């Protein structure tokens, strides 16, 4: 059984087509990344899955049940993490945990998560840093040991250390067989955490691929300045495009494996070398025009 | 549902306490002043004769000579026709307006909606908590008269306060329901506060206009302030059947529309 099944999902806000007929599936136990630039429709999709919004057309099934009709029953088995904290400023962390426990009736993992994330539950939310608010949100989302975790940009605005901690937590959950659906606009984040990824652009799904496949779509910008002459033709190989060249300089766009270009560059004496990984936006533009 | 209900009560308890202390403070002042006024009622009655009749009508005073004849007459004029409605409107609108729109504005509605609780239950947990808060406020603000009157050795009619608390609660409940409705419709607390307050100000103006000119008399029937008649409840110990009907009707109709609206609407937090 698929943990998530989205069929021909459309959501219009007046004349604005936020989602225009997207379909995808997430297998049980899969860590699924939902990738796209800001405004692509990631959050709208998640809000529809959580029944915060109602679809204009289409169907969403989570854990085999209808996301709208069986919303209450489904939410017993779903954990949700918002991109920004949705916490009550005047409550302490403990009050949040108690509140969720009173409604969900299950806080199996709360203590372990609090310890793992090194969180002080005695403080009020307004006293917490952005990172600690996100930790608390994460505890609340995962404390009842959900079968499906839906996360909207889980590391947005967090420092690399905390982001890494969250990746470790997600990795652990993935190994426990939990299904994770997470949106992101960081390719590196999705690569690190997810098994599969769907790419959304302007409300339409442009690709759904396994991460291994996506990795082959890596792209780099290479700028090399040579100490002597070089042969531009040596860079005319599959997956490499020469964007600019002078007598001692070349700028390349490399799709896929960077090693073949490194091998060629190694033949020359270099004055300077700059290799930049292409942004997600560049990759989108290149692969999903 | 219970957890949301109790949490709403807990979050509002300080506000409730402040409102209760404020209104009891006013009541204390009026009850404390009453014996002095009652002793010199002839002089005060004479003074009151010089006030324009229309102005007195605007404040719900029809029998000028009776104002200082009993605590109930005095409080009807000073407290329950002026101060109490203003305070209860502020309290009821703040409860209703913040209920859903406040959660949307603060983003915390997502914390509620992600839980295995239906929207109808979320609505009624907050609605019932609001009603309980209003009932506590009404009870405190009306029945505090009894110990205060006893402390100042002033005669009072206990049953009249029971009647006033009933019509007072209905008035407050109808206002809270209106504010709840706008809270469900809009995403910002500001709109959910100001629209019902605007409607109530318009109703108050209509009632005053109706009292000033005979040709506009029928306008009074469009005003909540006509159906919330503190003179009738506190002095005559009566409630007009139309008051039950109008406030009851507003409560039922707007509650149904609000709950349906909340169940069906898209909720977007920015």
């Amino acid at each position: 059984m698929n943990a998530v099944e989205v069929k021909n999902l459309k959501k219009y806000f007046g004349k604005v087509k936020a989602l225009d007929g997207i379909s995808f599936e997430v297998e049980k136990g899969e860590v699924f990344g939902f990738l796209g630039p800001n405004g692509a429709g990631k959050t709208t999709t998640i809000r529809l899955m959580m029944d915060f919004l109602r679809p204009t057309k289409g169907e969403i099934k989570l854990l085999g049940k209808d996301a709208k009709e069986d919303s209450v029953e489904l939410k017993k088995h779903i954990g949700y993490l918002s991109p920004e904290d949705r916490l009550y400023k005047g409550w302490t962390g403990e009050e949040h945990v108690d509140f969720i426990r009173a409604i969900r009736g299950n806080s199996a993992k709360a203590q372990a998560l609090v310890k793992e994330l090194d969180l002080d539950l005695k403080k009020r939310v307004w006293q917490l840093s952005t990172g600690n608010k996100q930790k608390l949100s994460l505890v609340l989302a995962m404390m009842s040991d959900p079968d499906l975790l839906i996360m909207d940009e889980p590391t947005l605005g967090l420092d690399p250390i905390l982001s890494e901690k969250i990746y470790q937590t997600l990795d652990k959950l993935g190994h426990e067989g939990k299904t994770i659906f997470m949106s992101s606009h960081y390719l590196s984040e999705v690569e690190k955490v997810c098994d599969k990824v769907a790419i959304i652009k302007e409300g339409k799904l442009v690709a759904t691929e396994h991460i291994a496949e996506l990795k082959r779509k890596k792209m780099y910008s290479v700028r090399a300045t040579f100490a002597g002459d070089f042969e531009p033709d040596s860079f005319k190989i599959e997956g490499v495009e020469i964007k600019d060249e002078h007598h001692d300089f070349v700028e390349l766009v490399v799709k896929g494996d960077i090693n073949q270009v490194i091998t060629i560059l190694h033949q020359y004496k270099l004055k300077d070398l700059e290799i930049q990984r292409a942004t997600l936006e560049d990759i989108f533009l290149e692969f999903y025009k | 549902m219970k957890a949301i209900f109790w949490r709403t009560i807990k979050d509002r308890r300080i506000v409730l306490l402040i409102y209760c202390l404020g209104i009891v403070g006013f009541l204390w002042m009026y009850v404390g002043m009453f014996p002095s006024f009652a002793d010199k009622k002839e002089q005060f009655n004479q003074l009151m004769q010089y006030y324009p009749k229309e102005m007195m009508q605007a404040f719900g005073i029809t029998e000028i000579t009776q104002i200082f004849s009993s605590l109930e007459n005095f409080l009807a004029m000073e407290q329950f026709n002026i101060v109490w409605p203003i305070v209860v409107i502020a309290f009821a609108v703040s409860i209703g307006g913040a209920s859903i729109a406040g959660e949307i504005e603060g983003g915390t509605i997502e914390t509620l909606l992600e839980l295995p609780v239906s929207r109808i239950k979320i609505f009624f947990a907050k609605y019932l908590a609001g009603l309980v808060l209003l009932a506590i406020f009404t009870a405190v603000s009306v029945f505090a008269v009894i110990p205060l009157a006893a402390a100042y050795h002033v005669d009072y009619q206990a049953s009249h306060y029971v009647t006033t608390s009933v019509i007072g609660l209905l008035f407050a409940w109808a206002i809270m329901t209106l504010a709840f409705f706008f809270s469900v419709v809009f995403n910002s607390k500001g709109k959910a506060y100001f629209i019902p307050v605007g409607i109530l100000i318009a109703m108050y103006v209509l009632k005053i206009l109706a009292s000033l000119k005979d040709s506009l008399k029928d306008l009074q029937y469009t005003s909540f302030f006509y159906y919330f008649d503190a003179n009738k409840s506190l002095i005559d110990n009566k409630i007009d059947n139309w008051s039950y009907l109008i406030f009851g009707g507003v409560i039922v109709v707007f509650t149904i529309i609000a709950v349906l609206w909340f169940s069906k609407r898209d909720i977007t937090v920015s």
Side-chain angles (χ1 to χ4, degrees), chain B residues 37 60 71 113 152-153 156 184 220 224 233 238 240-241 254:
Chain B
F37 280 105
L71 180 64
L113 292 179
Y152 285 93
H153 310 291
Y156 61 89
V184 156
Q220 67 186 348
F224 273 13
S233 64
K238 283 179 188 161
D240 199 301
N241 283 340
F254 278 90

Side-chain angles (χ1 to χ4, degrees), chain A residues 88 90-91 95, chain B residues 3-20 87-103 125-134 136-137 176 179-180 183 189 192-193:
Chain A
Y88 292 91
W91 297 13
E95 284 176 308
Chain B
I4 300 171
F5 173 86
W6 285 116
R7 195 63 236 194
T8 308
I9 299 268
K10 198 176 170 191
D11 287 346
R12 289 260 159 195
R13 68 192 191 284
I14 303 293
V15 177
L16 173 69
L17 184 68
I18 291 167
Y19 271 89
C20 284
V87 176
V88 88
I89 286 169
F91 188 52
V93 168
S94 77
I95 292 173
S99 60
I100 304 294
E103 299 271 0
K126 290 190 154 284
Y127 188 86
L128 292 176
L131 184 56
V132 167
L133 291 166
L134 280 186
I136 294 169
F137 173 80
M176 185 195 78
F180 245 93
S183 186
K189 263 192 305 192
Y193 289 154

Side-chain angles (χ1 to χ4, degrees), chain A residues 55-116:
Chain A
T56 306
K57 205 177 171 186
E59 190 183 39
I60 304 171
K61 284 201 165 179
L62 305 176
L63 305 170
K65 291 182 173 149
D66 187 274
K68 182 175 179 291
E69 299 304 321
D70 306 310
S71 168
V72 175
E73 176 58 28
L74 265 173
K75 283 171 185 171
K76 290 178 186 166
H77 308 283
I78 296 176
Y80 168 73
L81 184 75
S82 176
E84 286 172 50
D85 81 85
R86 303 302 189 200
L87 305 165
Y88 292 91
K89 307 285 177 271
W91 297 13
T92 62
E94 200 163 28
E95 284 176 308
H96 279 89
V97 170
D98 289 345
F99 180 69
I100 304 293
R101 181 189 290 128
I103 293 172
R104 289 194 178 273
N106 179 1
S107 59
K109 285 193 158 181
Q111 282 311 315
L113 282 163
V114 168
K115 203 173 168 188
E116 193 179 319

Side-chain angles (χ1 to χ4, degrees), chain A residues 35 187 191 197 199 206-220 239 253-258 277-289:
Chain A
L35 200 63
L187 178 62
E191 277 179 347
V197 61
I199 298 170
V206 287
T208 306
E209 289 183 18
H210 284 276
I211 287 297
E213 188 63 34
L214 188 75
K215 277 181 178 170
R216 277 200 280 276
K217 290 192 164 68
K218 271 182 181 171
M219 212 167 79
Y220 303 88
V253 172
V254 182
K255 290 187 205 169
D257 190 6
I258 189 78
R277 199 164 169 181
T279 63
L280 185 61
E281 204 173 329
D282 292 334
I283 294 177
F284 281 163
L285 289 171
E286 190 61 32
F287 290 97
Y288 305 111
K289 283 172 189 169

Side-chain angles (χ1 to χ4, degrees), chain A residues 11 47 52 54 75 86 88, chain B residues 103 111 113 263 266 269:
Chain A
K11 181 64 188 175
R47 285 178 175 164
F52 301 164
R54 271 64 195 269
K75 283 171 185 171
R86 303 302 189 200
Y88 292 91
Chain B
E103 299 271 0
T111 302
L113 292 179
S263 302
D266 282 345
V269 175

Side-chain angles (χ1 to χ4, degrees), chain B residues 115-155:
Chain B
L115 296 169
V117 183
S118 69
R119 289 192 187 188
I120 291 175
K121 283 187 177 173
I122 292 171
F123 178 91
F124 279 111
K126 290 190 154 284
Y127 188 86
L128 292 176
L131 184 56
V132 167
L133 291 166
L134 280 186
I136 294 169
F137 173 80
T138 307
V140 170
S141 61
V142 175
F143 294 119
V145 173
I146 293 170
L148 288 170
Y152 285 93
H153 310 291
V154 177
D155 291 336

